[in-house]
Amino acid sequence: QVSPGLRTPRLPVWLCSLSGRHSVLFGTDSRLLSDWKSERIFHLYFYSGQQEQTQTAHLTIDTHSHHWEEAQREGPCSPGKRHPALEMAIRTKWAGATVSWNGTDPFF
């Protein structure tokens, strides 16, 4: 039997499979589970357990920014148009969100 804590988590947690690697994306704000207003700007943490990741990545998600306006001047094949797989996975839940890596070099 599954415990109630596993059926209804107290904090948001997503298990990810990015580029064939398993990882965890999680938040420490329980309001993300129940209050859509808290989804404006919030923080998530990402841990892959891979050797190249020395610490948990702290990400800031902004769901109301307009990332396409910043990159309008770039050509369609420009490297600036490419995004890490983690950012694309985050955008499956929050379409159009911008992801700030807060000083960490994006990986994946």
Side-chain angles (χ1 to χ4, degrees):
Q1 183 173 359
V2 177
S3 83
L6 293 175
R7 288 183 294 208
T8 309
R10 293 187 178 149
L11 295 172
V13 176
W14 295 272
L15 300 177
C16 306
S17 178
L18 303 168
S19 305
R21 296 179 176 180
H22 294 88
S23 53
V24 173
L25 181 66
F26 62 96
T28 57
D29 185 355
S30 62
R31 293 178 303 159
L32 279 175
L33 296 171
S34 60
D35 183 9
W36 62 270
K37 294 177 201 165
S38 64
E39 293 184 3
R40 167 68 171 91
I41 295 177
F42 56 95
H43 302 279
L44 294 177
Y45 301 89
F46 178 75
Y47 183 72
S48 68
Q50 300 297 315
Q51 188 174 13
E52 63 269 11
Q53 186 180 7
T54 57
Q55 61 184 5
T56 302
H58 171 210
L59 309 171
T60 301
I61 314 301
D62 184 347
T63 60
H64 287 80
S65 64
H66 301 291
H67 68 279
W68 57 86
E69 292 175 353
E70 297 172 2
Q72 273 183 339
R73 296 177 297 246
E74 299 175 4
C77 296
S78 168
K81 291 282 186 184
R82 298 177 58 178
H83 299 285
L86 177 59
E87 289 184 28
M88 300 310 291
I90 289 170
R91 288 188 186 118
T92 64
K93 172 125 177 89
W94 296 284
T98 51
V99 178
S100 170
W101 289 74
N102 299 310
T104 302
D105 288 331
F107 45 89
F108 281 99

